[in-house]
Coordinates of all heavy atoms in Angstrom, one line a residue:
V1318 N 0.9 -1.2 0.0 CA 0.0 0.0 0.0 C 0.9 1.2 0.0 O 2.0 1.2 0.6 CB -1.0 0.0 1.2 CG1 -0.2 0.1 2.5 CG2 -2.0 1.0 1.1
S1319 N 0.5 2.3 -0.7 CA 1.2 3.5 -0.7 C 0.3 4.6 -0.3 O -0.9 4.6 -0.5 CB 1.7 3.9 -2.1 OG 2.7 2.9 -2.5
G1320 N 0.9 5.6 0.4 CA 0.1 6.8 0.8 C 0.9 7.6 1.8 O 2.0 7.3 2.2
A1321 N 0.2 8.7 2.2 CA 0.8 9.6 3.2 C 0.6 9.1 4.6 O -0.4 8.5 4.9 CB 0.2 11.0 3.1
I1322 N 1.6 9.3 5.4 CA 1.5 8.9 6.9 C 0.6 9.9 7.5 O 0.8 11.1 7.5 CB 2.9 8.9 7.5 CG1 3.8 7.8 6.9 CG2 2.8 8.7 9.0 CD1 5.2 7.8 7.4
S1323 N -0.5 9.4 8.2 CA -1.4 10.3 8.8 C -1.1 10.5 10.3 O -1.5 11.5 10.9 CB -2.9 9.9 8.6 OG -3.0 8.6 9.1
S1324 N -0.4 9.5 10.9 CA 0.0 9.7 12.3 C 1.2 8.7 12.6 O 1.3 7.7 11.9 CB -1.1 9.4 13.3 OG -1.5 8.1 13.2
I1325 N 2.1 9.1 13.5 CA 3.2 8.3 13.9 C 3.2 8.3 15.4 O 3.1 9.4 16.1 CB 4.5 8.9 13.4 CG1 4.6 8.8 11.9 CG2 5.7 8.2 14.0 CD1 5.9 9.5 11.3
D1326 N 3.5 7.2 16.0 CA 3.7 7.0 17.5 C 5.0 6.3 17.7 O 5.1 5.1 17.6 CB 2.6 6.2 18.1 CG 2.7 6.1 19.6 OD1 3.8 6.3 20.2 OD2 1.7 5.7 20.3
L1327 N 6.1 7.1 17.9 CA 7.4 6.5 18.1 C 7.6 5.7 19.3 O 8.4 4.7 19.4 CB 8.5 7.6 18.0 CG 8.7 8.3 16.7 CD1 9.7 9.4 16.8 CD2 9.1 7.4 15.6
T1328 N 6.8 6.0 20.4 CA 6.8 5.2 21.6 C 6.4 3.8 21.3 O 7.0 2.8 21.8 CB 5.9 5.8 22.7 OG1 6.4 7.2 22.9 CG2 6.0 5.1 24.0
A1329 N 5.3 3.6 20.5 CA 4.7 2.3 20.2 C 5.3 1.7 18.9 O 4.9 0.6 18.5 CB 3.2 2.4 20.1
N1330 N 6.1 2.5 18.2 CA 6.7 2.1 16.9 C 5.5 1.8 15.9 O 5.6 0.9 15.1 CB 7.6 0.9 17.0 CG 8.9 1.2 17.6 OD1 9.4 2.3 17.4 ND2 9.4 0.3 18.4
T1331 N 4.5 2.6 15.9 CA 3.4 2.5 15.0 C 3.2 3.7 14.1 O 3.6 4.8 14.5 CB 2.0 2.1 15.7 OG1 1.7 3.2 16.6 CG2 2.1 0.8 16.5
F1332 N 2.5 3.5 13.0 CA 2.2 4.6 12.1 C 0.9 4.2 11.3 O 0.6 3.0 11.2 CB 3.3 4.9 11.2 CG 3.7 3.8 10.2 CD1 3.3 3.8 8.9 CD2 4.5 2.7 10.6 CE1 3.6 2.8 8.0 CE2 4.8 1.7 9.8 CZ 4.4 1.7 8.5
M1333 N 0.2 5.2 10.8 CA -1.0 5.0 10.1 C -0.9 5.5 8.6 O -0.5 6.6 8.4 CB -2.2 5.6 10.8 CG -3.5 5.3 10.1 SD -4.9 6.0 11.0 CE -5.1 4.7 12.3
V1334 N -1.3 4.6 7.7 CA -1.3 4.9 6.3 C -2.6 4.3 5.7 O -2.9 3.2 6.0 CB -0.1 4.3 5.5 CG1 -0.3 4.5 4.0 CG2 1.2 4.9 6.0
D1335 N -3.4 5.1 5.0 CA -4.6 4.6 4.3 C -5.6 4.0 5.3 O -6.2 3.0 5.0 CB -4.2 3.6 3.2 CG -5.3 3.4 2.2 OD1 -6.1 4.3 1.9 OD2 -5.4 2.2 1.7
G1336 N -5.7 4.6 6.5 CA -6.6 4.1 7.5 C -6.2 2.8 8.2 O -7.0 2.3 9.0
R1337 N -5.0 2.3 7.9 CA -4.5 1.1 8.6 C -3.4 1.5 9.5 O -2.5 2.3 9.2 CB -4.0 0.1 7.6 CG -5.1 -0.4 6.6 CD -4.4 -1.4 5.6 NE -5.3 -1.7 4.6 CZ -5.0 -2.5 3.6 NH1 -3.8 -3.0 3.4 NH2 -5.9 -2.8 2.7
T1338 N -3.3 0.8 10.7 CA -2.2 1.0 11.6 C -1.2 -0.1 11.4 O -1.5 -1.3 11.4 CB -2.7 1.0 13.1 OG1 -3.7 2.0 13.2 CG2 -1.6 1.2 14.0
F1339 N 0.1 0.3 11.3 CA 1.2 -0.6 11.1 C 2.2 -0.5 12.2 O 2.3 0.6 12.8 CB 1.9 -0.3 9.7 CG 1.1 -0.5 8.5 CD1 0.3 0.5 8.0 CD2 1.0 -1.8 7.9 CE1 -0.4 0.3 6.8 CE2 0.2 -1.9 6.8 CZ -0.5 -0.9 6.2
T1340 N 3.0 -1.5 12.4 CA 4.1 -1.4 13.3 C 5.4 -1.6 12.5 O 5.4 -2.4 11.6 CB 4.0 -2.5 14.5 OG1 5.1 -2.3 15.4 CG2 4.0 -3.9 14.0
A1341 N 6.4 -0.8 12.9 CA 7.7 -0.9 12.2 C 8.7 -1.2 13.2 O 9.1 -0.3 14.0 CB 8.0 0.4 11.5
S1342 N 9.2 -2.4 13.3 CA 10.2 -2.8 14.3 C 11.6 -2.5 13.7 O 11.9 -2.9 12.6 CB 10.0 -4.3 14.6 OG 11.1 -4.7 15.3
P1343 N 12.4 -1.9 14.5 CA 13.8 -1.7 14.1 C 14.5 -3.0 13.8 O 15.5 -3.0 13.0 CB 14.5 -0.9 15.3 CG 13.3 -0.4 16.1 CD 12.2 -1.3 15.8
E1344 N 14.1 -4.1 14.4 CA 14.8 -5.4 14.2 C 14.3 -6.1 13.0 O 15.1 -6.9 12.4 CB 14.5 -6.3 15.4 CG 15.3 -5.8 16.7 CD 14.5 -4.7 17.4 OE1 13.3 -4.8 17.5 OE2 15.2 -3.8 18.0
N1345 N 13.1 -5.9 12.5 CA 12.6 -6.8 11.4 C 11.9 -6.1 10.3 O 11.3 -6.7 9.4 CB 11.7 -7.9 11.9 CG 10.4 -7.4 12.5 OD1 10.1 -6.3 12.4 ND2 9.6 -8.4 13.0
T1346 N 12.0 -4.7 10.2 CA 11.4 -4.0 9.1 C 12.5 -3.4 8.3 O 13.4 -2.7 8.8 CB 10.5 -2.8 9.6 OG1 9.5 -3.4 10.5 CG2 9.9 -2.1 8.5
V1347 N 12.5 -3.8 7.0 CA 13.5 -3.3 6.0 C 13.1 -2.0 5.5 O 12.0 -1.7 5.2 CB 13.6 -4.3 4.9 CG1 14.6 -3.9 3.8 CG2 14.0 -5.7 5.4
G1348 N 14.1 -1.1 5.3 CA 13.9 0.2 4.7 C 14.1 1.3 5.6 O 14.9 1.3 6.5
A1349 N 13.3 2.4 5.5 CA 13.4 3.6 6.3 C 13.0 3.3 7.7 O 12.2 2.5 8.0 CB 12.4 4.7 5.7
K1350 N 13.7 4.0 8.6 CA 13.4 3.9 10.0 C 12.3 4.9 10.3 O 12.2 6.0 9.8 CB 14.6 4.3 10.9 CG 15.8 3.3 10.7 CD 16.9 3.6 11.7 CE 18.1 2.8 11.6 NZ 17.9 1.4 11.3
L1351 N 11.4 4.4 11.2 CA 10.2 5.2 11.5 C 10.6 6.6 12.1 O 10.0 7.6 11.8 CB 9.3 4.5 12.5 CG 7.9 5.0 12.7 CD1 7.2 5.1 11.4 CD2 7.1 4.1 13.7
S1352 N 11.7 6.6 12.8 CA 12.2 7.9 13.4 C 12.7 8.9 12.4 O 12.8 10.1 12.7 CB 13.3 7.6 14.4 OG 14.4 7.0 13.8
E1353 N 12.9 8.4 11.2 CA 13.4 9.3 10.1 C 12.2 9.9 9.3 O 12.4 10.7 8.4 CB 14.3 8.6 9.1 CG 15.5 8.0 9.8 CD 16.3 7.1 8.9 OE1 15.8 6.6 7.8 OE2 17.4 6.7 9.2
L1354 N 11.0 9.4 9.6 CA 9.8 9.9 8.8 C 9.0 10.8 9.6 O 9.1 10.9 10.8 CB 9.0 8.6 8.4 CG 9.7 7.6 7.6 CD1 8.9 6.3 7.4 CD2 10.1 8.2 6.2
Q1355 N 8.1 11.6 8.9 CA 7.2 12.5 9.5 C 5.8 12.3 9.0 O 5.6 11.8 7.9 CB 7.6 13.9 9.2 CG 9.0 14.3 9.5 CD 9.3 15.8 9.0 OE1 8.5 16.7 9.3 NE2 10.4 15.9 8.3
E1356 N 4.8 12.8 9.8 CA 3.4 12.8 9.3 C 3.4 13.6 8.0 O 4.0 14.6 7.9 CB 2.5 13.4 10.3 CG 2.4 12.5 11.5 CD 1.4 13.1 12.6 OE1 0.7 14.1 12.3 OE2 1.4 12.6 13.7
G1357 N 2.7 13.1 7.0 CA 2.6 13.7 5.7 C 3.6 13.1 4.7 O 3.3 13.3 3.5
D1358 N 4.6 12.4 5.1 CA 5.5 11.8 4.2 C 4.8 10.7 3.4 O 4.0 9.9 4.0 CB 6.7 11.2 4.9 CG 7.8 12.2 5.3 OD1 7.7 13.3 4.9 OD2 8.7 11.8 6.1
T1359 N 5.1 10.6 2.1 CA 4.5 9.5 1.3 C 5.4 8.3 1.4 O 6.6 8.4 1.2 CB 4.3 9.9 -0.1 OG1 3.4 11.1 -0.1 CG2 3.6 8.8 -1.0
V1360 N 4.8 7.1 1.7 CA 5.6 5.9 1.9 C 4.9 4.8 1.2 O 3.7 4.8 0.8 CB 5.8 5.5 3.4 CG1 6.6 6.5 4.1 CG2 4.4 5.3 4.1
R1361 N 5.7 3.7 0.9 CA 5.2 2.4 0.4 C 5.5 1.4 1.5 O 6.6 1.3 2.0 CB 5.9 2.0 -0.9 CG 5.4 0.8 -1.5 CD 6.1 0.4 -2.8 NE 7.5 0.1 -2.6 CZ 7.9 -1.1 -2.3 NH1 7.1 -2.0 -2.0 NH2 9.2 -1.2 -2.1
V1362 N 4.4 0.7 1.9 CA 4.5 -0.3 2.9 C 4.2 -1.7 2.3 O 3.2 -1.9 1.6 CB 3.5 0.0 4.0 CG1 3.6 -1.0 5.2 CG2 3.6 1.4 4.5
E1363 N 5.1 -2.7 2.6 CA 4.8 -4.1 2.2 C 4.5 -4.8 3.5 O 5.2 -4.6 4.5 CB 6.0 -4.7 1.5 CG 6.3 -4.1 0.1 CD 7.4 -4.8 -0.6 OE1 7.8 -5.9 -0.2 OE2 7.9 -4.2 -1.5
F1364 N 3.5 -5.6 3.4 CA 3.1 -6.4 4.6 C 2.4 -7.7 4.2 O 2.1 -7.9 3.0 CB 2.1 -5.6 5.5 CG 0.8 -5.1 4.7 CD1 -0.3 -5.9 4.7 CD2 0.9 -4.0 4.0 CE1 -1.4 -5.5 4.0 CE2 -0.3 -3.5 3.3 CZ -1.4 -4.3 3.3
S1365 N 2.2 -8.6 5.1 CA 1.6 -9.9 4.8 C 0.1 -9.7 4.7 O -0.5 -9.2 5.6 CB 2.0 -10.9 5.9 OG 1.1 -12.0 5.9
E1366 N -0.4 -10.2 3.5 CA -1.9 -10.1 3.4 C -2.6 -11.0 4.5 O -3.7 -10.7 4.9 CB -2.3 -10.6 2.0 CG -1.9 -9.7 0.9 CD -2.7 -8.4 0.9 OE1 -3.8 -8.3 1.5 OE2 -2.1 -7.3 0.5
E1367 N -1.9 -12.0 4.9 CA -2.4 -12.9 6.0 C -2.6 -12.1 7.2 O -3.6 -12.2 7.9 CB -1.4 -14.1 6.2 CG -2.0 -15.2 7.0 CD -1.1 -16.4 7.0 OE1 -0.8 -17.0 5.9 OE2 -0.6 -16.7 8.1
D1368 N -1.6 -11.3 7.6 CA -1.6 -10.4 8.7 C -2.9 -9.5 8.6 O -3.6 -9.3 9.6 CB -0.4 -9.5 8.8 CG 0.6 -10.0 9.9 OD1 0.4 -11.0 10.5 OD2 1.5 -9.2 10.1
A1369 N -3.0 -8.9 7.5 CA -4.1 -7.9 7.3 C -5.5 -8.6 7.4 O -6.4 -8.1 7.9 CB -4.0 -7.2 5.9
A1370 N -5.5 -9.8 6.8 CA -6.8 -10.6 6.8 C -7.2 -11.1 8.2 O -8.4 -11.3 8.4 CB -6.7 -11.7 5.8
S1371 N -6.2 -11.2 9.0 CA -6.5 -11.8 10.4 C -7.2 -10.7 11.2 O -7.8 -11.1 12.2 CB -5.2 -12.1 11.1 OG -4.5 -11.0 11.5
G1372 N -7.2 -9.5 10.8 CA -7.9 -8.4 11.6 C -7.1 -7.9 12.8 O -7.6 -7.0 13.5
K1373 N -5.9 -8.5 13.0 CA -5.2 -8.0 14.1 C -4.5 -6.6 13.8 O -4.3 -6.3 12.6 CB -4.1 -9.0 14.6 CG -2.9 -9.0 13.7 CD -1.8 -10.0 14.3 CE -0.6 -9.8 13.4 NZ 0.6 -10.5 14.0
S1374 N -4.4 -5.8 14.8 CA -3.8 -4.5 14.6 C -2.9 -4.2 15.7 O -3.1 -4.5 16.9 CB -4.9 -3.4 14.6 OG -4.5 -2.2 14.3
P1375 N -1.7 -3.6 15.5 CA -1.2 -3.1 14.2 C -0.7 -4.3 13.3 O -0.3 -5.3 13.8 CB -0.1 -2.2 14.6 CG 0.4 -2.7 15.9 CD -0.8 -3.3 16.6
I1376 N -0.7 -4.0 12.0 CA -0.2 -4.9 11.0 C 1.3 -4.8 10.9 O 1.8 -3.6 10.9 CB -0.8 -4.6 9.6 CG1 -2.3 -4.7 9.7 CG2 -0.2 -5.5 8.6 CD1 -3.0 -4.2 8.5
N1377 N 2.1 -5.8 10.9 CA 3.5 -5.8 10.9 C 4.0 -5.3 9.5 O 3.7 -6.0 8.5 CB 4.1 -7.2 11.2 CG 5.6 -7.1 11.2 OD1 6.3 -6.3 11.8 ND2 6.3 -8.0 10.5
A1378 N 4.7 -4.2 9.4 CA 5.3 -3.7 8.2 C 6.6 -4.5 7.9 O 7.5 -4.4 8.7 CB 5.5 -2.2 8.2
M1379 N 6.7 -5.2 6.8 CA 7.9 -5.9 6.5 C 8.9 -5.0 5.7 O 10.1 -5.1 5.9 CB 7.6 -7.1 5.6 CG 6.7 -8.1 6.4 SD 6.4 -9.7 5.5 CE 5.6 -9.2 4.0
V1380 N 8.4 -4.1 4.9 CA 9.2 -3.1 4.2 C 8.5 -1.8 4.3 O 7.3 -1.6 4.1 CB 9.4 -3.5 2.7 CG1 10.2 -2.4 1.9 CG2 10.0 -4.9 2.5
L1381 N 9.3 -0.7 4.6 CA 8.8 0.6 4.7 C 9.8 1.5 3.9 O 10.9 1.7 4.3 CB 8.8 1.1 6.2 CG 8.4 2.5 6.5 CD1 7.0 2.8 5.9 CD2 8.5 2.8 8.0
E1382 N 9.3 2.1 2.8 CA 10.1 2.9 1.9 C 9.5 4.3 1.7 O 8.3 4.4 1.5 CB 10.3 2.3 0.6 CG 11.1 1.0 0.6 CD 11.3 0.4 -0.7 OE1 10.6 0.7 -1.7 OE2 12.2 -0.5 -0.8
K1383 N 10.3 5.3 1.9 CA 9.8 6.7 1.6 C 9.8 6.9 0.1 O 10.7 6.5 -0.6 CB 10.7 7.7 2.3 CG 10.2 9.1 2.2 CD 11.1 10.1 3.0 CE 10.5 11.5 2.8 NZ 11.3 12.4 3.6
E1384 N 8.7 7.5 -0.4 CA 8.6 7.7 -1.9 C 8.9 9.1 -2.2 O 8.9 10.0 -1.4 CB 7.2 7.4 -2.4 CG 6.9 5.9 -2.3 CD 5.6 5.5 -2.9 OE1 4.7 6.3 -2.9 OE2 5.6 4.4 -3.4

């Protein structure tokens, strides 16, 4: 999914894009670090469709790239 970050919570390592809440772990998320991004930045997020379909939130972001 691609879109603008609407909110970031560095304490919880979460961010929201396109109405979905994602988590970006420094240990297992490839790409940009959440601390380097700001609300309004456009990003591309790769995640497991299985995670998204499970309904659990936040969804684990596997790849986070600034566009």
